[in-house]
């Protein structure tokens, strides 16, 4: 045990021999650590080990889902402000710590602290109680009699004990059971103490009676750090330095004069009469600083001093009149909260770390009738608890607990609870949970503990007004976002109440506007919409007193009833009852006439749904069916019909979900269960009937058509809700958009489909977001916009006007009006024109038309292939050819049926935006308007055409109409100079006849085909000009169409066209046909010969009646051309048939090695012994050539196989050394390296076809030492195998046959033996070159990352394919193998030995 001596600066410890300085302490980097449950083994005694163990346990705890490995709180769990959200009471539970008759006098509960595993410890001077959460139970323990004046208590996580401090100076540990241990004693007594958040530093203030009090700082091992007086004279290390600028003495003071500068601020000379003069201590959340509020002996006022962790004074607060004892440092470290008593009111003021004031807000209680007892922040720094004691005129005291939060520089009072002090019920202590920032503990002196759980919730209406109600003390701030966007803290309307508002609940139906409000005085108010003017404030419909407690939770049940959830005791057990009551039935008794809860069962206006053994988090009802969601996740179904009283279990969902939205079945069928959306704000998991939708959800809203939710990745996700009529899987399509960091959903604006001039968001696509800094933002998500457009366009509505306005407002492509249902739109063109009604909007639609199907391109995510069958089909084309022209034709027909010149500009637009443009038709319609004396309309139409097209192009089109009046009208509206175009037009007007005038105009406009037609119409005298025009502009086809009949002109044109094709295009076959038609036999035969079409050439010559000599000469020339082309058989036939040259034909066949045809000719025509000797010699020469090829193949195979072994060995050695193919590539010449680096420098160079061919050529290079030498060798070897197969099926078999016929057995046997040896050699080497080991190695390297077979999973296959796709998308690297390269490692299908001729030539010798 450590004992303090009379001098607080002297300290002795007989049980510990180690001593460490402050720099040797282990300070865990933990921020806002909750007091979780950990049991430390008794063997861990060393302080440094205990602290390490504590830090590691806390950091690895699942109770810290929002802390990183260093204990830092993630920024997304802290919000800068929540002005549009209210604190909604989730549940209340009560526990009686002891029997009412067991309390002794002076044994009231005085203090409360939270313990391990969610347990709560509270007690007085003699006893304390531990309420365990799991397993539930109450443990009672006595405090030693000599330690009966407890100053405070705190549960120590590291030691798993309760720490108590008494006013006598005793510090003790209380273990389980009756074991207590006095660990230290301070003779000077203790007035206050506080552990640091990491429980490593203990700060104690001694009693003021002992030398004015001291401040003691010690470690968890009771090692002293610092001891100093409570009221030092020094300001601190952060004392501000001034150079005299801005002194009060140098400022202007107006009528008060200079004497005002000498006046000092008058501070209160005495503290409050209710001040107990005790010090207060508060730590910052990170444990680096703490502050102490003491009464200064010099000024007799309270002062706040800020110290660092080592107990060094950092600063002192500025003098504040009326500063009181309440003190609470915000855990996030921003501000220190305290209270100040002013003459008229009392304020909560805030100080910075340097002691300077930083804002305040007034408390709504008179100074003389109230006293602030305590301030407490919750662990997330969002809520400030203010405990105030009120005194009535008759002397009765009431404890008031208020929960305040801030947003947009405004403080809101969100909740108020009143506890009247009686002899049997006095509020003794309050405290926030350290594990759940929204759980509050209240304990009364007689031993009743209440646990209140809160959550943030947006009170929003479901009707078209999109009203959001914000609780602000005794005011309810209403903002109707359908009519106005009022940023908080402002609002559209303000409802003032006589007492503080605790609950505001809108009706749960979208067809009614009803607002139920409950105040802390248990008064109920019902407001309804002002039907005459919906944008005005709601009207008070009814008010009454509620028979429930102040913590009863209200839910709407349809339009006529409300439900109240209240905790109560039934047969000694804590249960939660649900009651429903009517709010509109005026014939029954008013609710305030019910004297107690027990009489509710006898009242006809109230009905008990049931008692439940778990807190009721949500209750909803529709018709006679009610659903109850309990805290444990159980969903129950209750029948609300009279005399039913049946409650059954429906489904088990995720527990502890504080946001529940139930989507009831539209058909109200019992066979189809409702869909329940739940969100756990702690784990951020959003579920849809036990199916997880998201694991990082921060807020969500359910609309009739979409599920909207925000995520920690700062995205808004919209998922369509497909009702029972669709078979689309939920979540198969979704839309995302980025948001500002920390945005939360507030509400959405619904729509009836009827435009409201006063409604700012009548289209029903607006989503209101709350940003962290407090302001609001209205967005229109693309999914909601397109969903609304589709709803407008469905066959039942056909609201094209509404869809068009929405698309124009949100810049949606107008093609969606057509692509939604093309056939339906073409039928509804009259309806569409009638609804649009003006040319401006209609022209906007026409201008955006294209053949693209936007439902399959830019908006394809909103139109899945399996969606509604009336929208898209299974396969949706990306483009619909001719769609825009079809729509424009339909619009043009619809516009033509309209009377008068209505929408005449849209008629022009239909011609302008066609593909190709119909500018001539548009100009003709303008002339019709001019001729019908609609001058204004004609000028507007011409201006529109000029605006939509190029002026010069339109001028040329007008000139092409040959109407000079129209040309002058267009030119007058353009910027052309009359001095230029008038002489130009007069020049055309002077030309005669009219056909030549049109020819000149078309020739100027480069419309040569039309010009040729006009010129040809003038007769033979202009044929020479026609020929010049045809030759100059290559109008041969057009000319032949014009001159259809046979004539000299047509023959000349045919010859000109033939010359063009023969000399320029080298299309000899087509030119020959033209010459043939023109009767030019010489040119026809010559071009047939060039095209190697010898049959047509000889037929054309015969048709021209050529003589035999000329025909033979032509045949010789044609045969020569055929032999040059390798067509020896056709050449020999031509010689035989048209020249009779048998020897020439025989020589041609021998030259082509056509042995069978040559042998046939030899035997049929009896060519003589000379020809036979030539035949034998040719056969022998051919056999010699084949033998040479066989030898060459064997030599190359030997060479390539030997080099392949060397190349593979080098490659294996390089890979074993970690160098790979890239090192081999770098060993090549410098030019290759520089070429590769230059190719890599460009993103597209290696993907070009030229470079791909260059890479393939490099891979097939047989250069020794090249990076792909092994591939080149394999490619060459495969080519040799293919060459051998070609020899066997071609020449070898034929040669052996004729060598046998000619009895050249020596040559035949030699050829047969050589080729058989080659086949055997290749068959043996095939197994040596293409080995299975080499193939397996290559395949394993190329398919790395792929997993197939029975051990493969979907995840492994997908990941392998993704890696392969990434590999294919990157820039090719050395060593990359294509499919063609991999095919080289597969052995060739060499099965020639099986088909080799078994016949031996030796047997015929």
């Amino acid at each position: 045990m450590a004992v303090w001596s009379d001098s607080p600066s002297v300290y002795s410890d007989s049980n510990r021999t180690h001593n460490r300085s402050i720099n040797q302490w282990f300070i865990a980097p933990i921020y806002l650590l909750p007091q979780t449950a950990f049991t430390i083994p008794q063997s861990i005694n060393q302080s440094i080990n205990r602290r390490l163990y504590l830090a590691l346990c806390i950091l690895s705890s699942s109770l810290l889902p929002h802390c990183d490995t260093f204990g830092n709180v993630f920024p997304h769990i802290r919000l800068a402000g929540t002005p549009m959200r209210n604190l909604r009471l989730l549940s209340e539970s009560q526990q009686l710590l002891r029997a009412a008759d067991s309390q002794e006098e002076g044994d009231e509960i005085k203090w409360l602290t939270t313990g391990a595993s969610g347990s709560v410890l509270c007690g007085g001077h003699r006893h304390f109680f531990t309420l365990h959460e799991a397993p539930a139970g109450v443990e009672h323990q006595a405090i030693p009699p000599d330690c009966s004046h407890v100053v405070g208590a705190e549960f120590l996580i590291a030691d798993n004990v309760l720490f108590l401090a008494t006013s006598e100076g005793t510090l003790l540990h209380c273990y389980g059971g009756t074991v207590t241990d006095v660990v230290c004693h301070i003779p000077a007594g203790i007035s206050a103490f506080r552990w640091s958040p990491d429980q490593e530093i203990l700060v104690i203030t001694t009693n003021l009676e002992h030398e004015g009090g001291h401040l003691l700082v010690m470690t968890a091992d009771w090692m002293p750090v610092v001891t100093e007086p409570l009221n030092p004279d020094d300001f601190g290390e952060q004392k501000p330095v001034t150079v005299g600028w801005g002194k009060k003495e140098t400022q202007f003071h107006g009528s008060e004069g200079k004497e005002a500068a000498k006046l000092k601020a008058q501070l209160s000379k005495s503290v409050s009469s209710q001040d107990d003069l005790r010090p207060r201590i508060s730590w910052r959340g990170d444990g680096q600083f703490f502050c102490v509020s003491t009464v200064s002996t010099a000024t007799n006022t309270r002062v706040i001093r800020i110290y660092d962790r080592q107990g060094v004074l950092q600063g002192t607060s500025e003098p504040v009149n009326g500063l009181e004892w309440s003190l609470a440092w915000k855990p996030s470290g921003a501000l220190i909260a305290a209270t100040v008593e002013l003459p008229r009111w009392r304020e909560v003021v805030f100080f910075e770390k340097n002691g300077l004031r930083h804002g305040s807000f007034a408390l709504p209680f008179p100074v003389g009738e109230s006293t602030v007892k305590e301030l407490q922040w919750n662990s997330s720094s969002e809520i400030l608890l203010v405990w105030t004691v009120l005194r009535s005129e008759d002397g009765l005291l009431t404890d008031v607990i208020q929960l305040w939060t801030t947003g947009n520089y405004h403080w809101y009072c969100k909740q108020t609870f009143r506890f009247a002090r009686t002899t049997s019920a006095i509020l003794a202590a309050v405290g926030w949970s350290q594990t759940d920032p929204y759980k509050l503990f209240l304990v009364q002196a007689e031993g009743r503990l209440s646990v209140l759980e809160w959550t943030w919730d947006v009170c929003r209406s479901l009707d078209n007004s999109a009203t959001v109600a914000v609780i602000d003390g005794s005011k309810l701030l209403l903002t109707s976002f359908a009519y106005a966007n009022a940023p908080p803290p402002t609002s559209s309307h303000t409802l003032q109440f006589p007492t503080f508002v605790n609950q505001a609940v809108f009706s749960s139906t979208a067809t009614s506007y009803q607002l139920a409000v409950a105040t802390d005085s248990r008064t109920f108010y019902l407001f309804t919409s002002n039907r005459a003017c919906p944008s005005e404030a709601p009207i008070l419909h009814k008010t009454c007193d509620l028979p429930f407690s102040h913590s009863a939770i209200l839910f709407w049940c349809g339009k006529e009833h409300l439900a109240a959830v209240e905790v109560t005791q039934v047969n000694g057990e804590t249960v939660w009852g649900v009651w429903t009551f009517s709010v509109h039935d005026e014939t029954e008794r008013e609710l305030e006439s019910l004297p107690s809860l027990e009489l509710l069962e006898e009242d006809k206006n109230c009905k008990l749904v049931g008692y439940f053994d778990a807190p009721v988090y949500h209750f909803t009802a529709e018709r006679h069916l009610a659903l109850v969601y309990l805290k444990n996740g159980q969903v129950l179904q209750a029948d609300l019909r009279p005399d039913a009283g049946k409650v059954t279990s429906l489904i088990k969902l995720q527990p502890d979900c504080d946001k529940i939205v139930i989507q009831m079945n539209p058909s109200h069928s019992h066979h189809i269960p409702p869909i329940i959306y739940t969100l756990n704000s702690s784990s951020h998991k959003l579920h849809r009937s036990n199916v997880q939708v998201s694991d990082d959800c921060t807020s969500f809203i359910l609309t009739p058509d979409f599920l909207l939710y925000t995520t920690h990745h700062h995205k808004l996700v919209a998922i369509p809700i497909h009702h029972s009529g669709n078979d689309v899987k939920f979540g198969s399509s979704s839309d995302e958009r980025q948001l500002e960091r920390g945005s939360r959903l507030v509400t959405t604006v619904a729509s009836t489909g009827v435009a409201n001039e006063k409604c700012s968001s009548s289209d029903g696509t607006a989503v209101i977001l709350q940003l962290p800094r407090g302001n609001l933002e209205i967005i229109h998500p693309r999914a909601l916009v397109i969903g609304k457009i589709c709803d407008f366009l469905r066959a039942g509505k056909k609201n094209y006007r509404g869809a068009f306005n929405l698309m124009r407002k949100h810049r949606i492509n107008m093609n969606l009006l057509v692509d939604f249902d093309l056939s339906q739109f073409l039928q509804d063109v009259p309806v569409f024109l009638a609804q649009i009604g003006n040319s401006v909007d209609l022209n906007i639609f026409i201008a955006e038309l294209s053949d693209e199907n936007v439902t399959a391109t830019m908006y394809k995510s909103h139109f899945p292939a399996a969606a509604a069958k009336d929208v898209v089909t299974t396969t949706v084309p990306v483009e619909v050819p001719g769609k825009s022209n079809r729509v424009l034709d339909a619009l043009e027909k619809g516009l033509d049926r309209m009377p008068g010149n209505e929408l005449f500009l849209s008629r022009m637009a239909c011609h302008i935006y066609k593909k190709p443009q119909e500018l001539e038709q548009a100009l003709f319609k303008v002339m019709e308007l001019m001729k019908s004396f609609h001058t204004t309309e004609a000028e507007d139409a011409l201006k529109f055409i000029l605006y939509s097209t190029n002026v010069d192009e339109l001028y040329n089109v007008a000139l092409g109409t040959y109407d000079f009046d129209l040309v002058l009208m267009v030119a007058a509206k353009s910027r052309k100079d009359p001095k230029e175009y008038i002489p130009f037009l007069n020049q055309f007007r002077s030309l005669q006849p009219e056909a030549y005038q049109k020819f000149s105009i078309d020739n100027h406009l480069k419309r040569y085909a039309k010009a040729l037609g006009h010129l040809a119409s003038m007769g033979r005298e202009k044929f020479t000009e026609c020929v010049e025009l045809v030759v100059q502009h290559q109008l041969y086809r057009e000319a032949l169409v014009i001159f259809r009949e046979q004539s000299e002109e047509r023959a000349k044109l045919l010859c000109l066209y033939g010359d063009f094709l023969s000399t320029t295009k080298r299309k000899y076959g087509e030119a020959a046909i033209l010459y043939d038609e023109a009767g030019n036999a010489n040119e026809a035969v010559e071009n047939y010969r060039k095209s190697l079409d010898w049959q047509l050439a000889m037929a054309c010559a015969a048709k021209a009646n050529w003589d035999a000599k000329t025909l033979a000469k032509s045949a010789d020339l044609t045969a020569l051309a055929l032999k040059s082309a390798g067509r020896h058989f056709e050449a020999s036939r031509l010689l035989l048939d048209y020249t009779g040259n048998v020897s020439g034909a025989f020589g041609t066949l021998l030259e082509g090695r056509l042995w069978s045809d040559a042998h046939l000719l030899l035997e049929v025509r009896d060519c003589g012994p000379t020809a036979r000797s030539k035949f034998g010699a040719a056969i022998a020469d051919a056999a010699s050539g084949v033998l040479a090829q066989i030898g060459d193949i064997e030599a190359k195979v030997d060479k390539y196989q030997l080099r392949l072994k060397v190349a593979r060995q080098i490659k294996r050695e390089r890979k074993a050394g970690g160098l790979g193919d890239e090192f081999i590539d770098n060993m090549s010449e410098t030019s290759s390296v520089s070429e590769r680096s230059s190719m890599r420098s460009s993103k597209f160079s290696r993907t070009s076809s030229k470079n791909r061919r260059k890479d393939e050529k490099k891979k097939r290079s047989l250069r020794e030492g090249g990076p792909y030498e092994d591939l080149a060798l394999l490619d060459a070897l495969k080519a040799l195998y293919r060459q051998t197969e070609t020899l066997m099926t071609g020449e070898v078999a034929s040669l052996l046959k004729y060598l046998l016929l000619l009895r050249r057995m020596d040559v035949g046997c030699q050829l047969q033996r050589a080729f058989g040896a080659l086949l055997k050699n290749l068959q043996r080497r095939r197994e040596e070159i293409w080995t299975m080991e080499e193939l397996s190695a290559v395949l394993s390297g190329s398919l790395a990352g792929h997993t197939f077979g029975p051990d493969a999973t979907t995840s492994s296959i997908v990941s392998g394919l993704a890696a392969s796709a990434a590999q294919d998308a990157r820039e090719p690297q050395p060593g990359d193998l294509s499919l063609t390269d991999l095919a080289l490692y597969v052995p060739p299908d060499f099965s020639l030995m099986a088909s080799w001729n078994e016949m031996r030539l030796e047997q015929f010798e």
Side-chain angles (χ1 to χ4, degrees), residues 333-344:
L335 300 172
I336 301 171
T339 56
V340 173
E341 181 181 354
L342 299 177
R344 294 185 178 180

Side-chain angles (χ1 to χ4, degrees), residues 358-491:
H358 186 92
S360 64
F361 67 89
L363 294 176
F365 303 111
V367 173
E369 301 176 3
S370 63
T371 301
V372 177
K373 186 174 182 180
E374 191 174 349
L375 299 175
Q376 283 191 26
W377 291 96
N378 71 331
S379 60
S380 63
S381 302
E382 295 178 84
I383 306 171
L384 177 62
L385 181 147
V386 181
W387 182 359
T388 307
V389 179
L390 299 182
R391 303 173 187 83
S392 61
E393 295 180 356
D394 53 2
L396 297 179
L397 299 180
T398 302
D399 293 289
V400 179
I401 301 296
Q402 289 187 322
L403 304 182
W404 292 78
T405 184
T406 183
N408 226 13
Y409 302 99
H410 178 76
W411 281 89
Y412 299 83
C413 179
K414 294 295 185 181
Q415 289 289 323
T416 302
F417 286 92
R418 298 176 182 266
F419 300 90
R421 291 190 178 183
T422 62
T423 56
S424 60
I426 299 175
L427 186 62
V430 299
W432 289 101
S433 171
Q434 297 302 313
T435 57
D436 187 351
Y438 305 115
K439 182 181 289 187
L440 180 65
F441 301 104
L442 305 173
V443 62
Q444 296 179 352
E446 76 278 7
R448 183 177 297 275
L449 177 66
S450 299
V451 182
L452 304 178
E453 296 184 43
W454 312 89
T455 186
W456 289 110
D457 188 36
V458 177
C459 178
R460 65 186 190 95
S461 65
L462 300 181
D463 68 327
N464 296 331
S465 66
T467 304
V468 175
V470 179
I471 297 175
D472 187 10
S474 60
K475 297 182 294 184
L476 191 64
L477 310 180
L478 300 178
T479 300
S480 298
F481 286 98
Y483 303 98
N485 178 20
T490 61
S491 60

Side-chain angles (χ1 to χ4, degrees), residues 1142 1146 1155-1168 1171-1172 1175 1298 1301-1302:
V1142 177
F1146 182 73
W1155 314 119
S1156 299
D1157 297 317
H1159 184 261
L1160 176 64
L1161 183 63
L1162 180 66
E1163 297 298 336
V1164 172
R1165 295 298 182 99
D1166 191 14
C1167 298
R1172 291 184 180 277
F1175 182 74
Y1298 286 99
L1301 290 176
L1302 296 176

Side-chain angles (χ1 to χ4, degrees), residues 1150-1151 1153 1155 1172-1189 1287 1291 1295 1298-1299 1302 1304 1306-1308 1310-1311:
L1150 293 180
E1151 183 181 349
R1153 296 192 176 188
W1155 314 119
R1172 291 184 180 277
S1173 63
K1174 286 184 180 180
F1175 182 74
I1179 291 289
D1181 291 341
S1184 300
V1186 172
L1187 287 172
Q1189 289 186 35
L1287 281 176
E1291 289 193 59
L1295 285 174
Y1298 286 99
L1299 286 172
L1302 296 176
R1304 297 294 301 271
D1306 54 341
V1307 179
Q1310 182 183 1
L1311 177 61

Side-chain angles (χ1 to χ4, degrees), residues 29 74 118 155 541 568 633 763 793 851 940 986 1060 1066 1162 1173 1191-1192 1217 1270 1322 1335:
F74 289 157
F155 188 84
H541 177 72
T568 184
D763 50 29
L793 295 180
D851 291 342
D940 292 341
N986 289 333
F1060 172 75
R1066 297 183 181 275
L1162 180 66
S1173 63
D1192 183 62
D1270 57 337
L1322 292 181
L1335 179 61

Side-chain angles (χ1 to χ4, degrees), residues 51-314:
R51 282 188 285 271
L52 278 170
Y53 184 83
L54 171 64
L56 292 175
C57 289
I58 293 178
L59 292 178
S60 62
S61 172
S62 61
L63 298 176
L64 284 175
H66 308 304
C67 294
D68 59 16
T69 55
F70 297 100
N72 299 316
V73 177
F74 289 157
H76 60 250
I77 69 168
R78 293 198 47 233
L79 298 177
T82 54
M84 299 304 295
R85 301 193 297 170
N86 300 320
L87 274 177
R88 180 171 65 87
L89 184 62
L90 270 180
S91 68
E92 179 193 15
S93 58
Q94 296 180 358
Q95 178 67 41
L96 192 61
L97 302 178
R98 58 186 175 191
D101 54 355
S102 64
Q103 179 178 346
E104 302 176 3
E105 185 177 356
D107 194 21
E108 298 85 1
I109 293 178
K110 299 291 185 181
W111 51 265
L112 179 146
T113 184
T114 56
S117 300
S119 60
V120 182
L121 299 94
C122 50
H125 298 303
R126 300 180 184 177
H127 302 84
F128 70 89
F129 305 88
T130 303
L131 175 63
H132 298 283
E133 185 175 14
V138 178
E139 182 181 347
H140 172 266
Q141 186 173 348
I143 299 176
D146 54 347
C147 305
S148 59
H149 295 85
V150 178
V151 176
E154 185 167 349
F155 188 84
L156 301 181
I157 301 176
D159 298 318
N160 197 26
V161 297
L162 176 66
F163 174 83
L164 296 177
T166 64
S167 59
E168 294 83 0
T170 302
L171 306 178
L172 64 149
H173 286 172
C174 298
Y175 301 95
T178 59
V179 180
T180 59
D181 183 15
V182 178
V183 295
C184 185
H185 181 75
I186 302 174
I190 299 175
S191 58
F193 80 92
R194 184 63 61 89
W195 283 93
S196 62
D198 57 3
Q199 296 184 348
E200 291 296 321
I201 302 295
L202 175 63
V203 178
I204 296 175
T205 58
T206 63
N207 291 328
L208 301 178
E209 294 81 5
H210 191 278
E211 299 179 1
H214 286 79
L215 176 69
L216 308 178
V217 180
M218 64 177 65
T219 68
D221 299 327
W222 321 116
M223 297 288 294
V225 178
V226 69
T227 302
E228 66 174 34
L230 273 178
N231 295 291
D233 297 331
D234 188 17
F235 180 88
E237 291 186 351
Q238 297 184 2
K239 182 177 181 180
V241 179
T242 176
V243 294
W245 296 343
K247 282 187 176 181
K248 192 172 183 180
E249 291 82 355
T250 63
Q251 297 176 358
F252 176 71
H253 298 280
S255 60
E256 295 182 1
K258 293 183 178 180
E259 295 298 328
K262 302 177 182 179
L263 296 177
K264 303 296 182 183
Q266 297 295 326
L267 296 177
S268 177
K269 296 301 181 183
S270 61
V271 296
S272 173
S273 59
Q274 301 175 357
D275 198 328
D276 57 5
L277 305 180
R278 290 176 52 193
R280 300 294 192 275
I281 306 171
S282 182
W283 279 87
R284 200 171 75 171
D286 60 355
Q288 299 301 315
F289 295 93
F290 65 90
C291 59
V292 181
S293 174
T294 60
V295 177
S296 176
T297 56
T299 60
N300 198 27
T301 57
R302 280 214 171 248
V303 177
I304 299 176
R305 292 180 174 87
I306 296 93
Y307 297 85
D308 63 5
R309 189 180 180 89
Q310 291 78 23
V312 179
L313 181 62
Q314 300 296 310

Side-chain angles (χ1 to χ4, degrees), residues 688 691 719-722 726-734 864 866-867:
R688 179 181 183 265
V691 178
I719 301 179
I721 298 176
H722 305 287
N726 273 330
D727 298 330
V728 180
K729 182 180 178 181
F730 179 83
S732 59
S733 62
S734 62

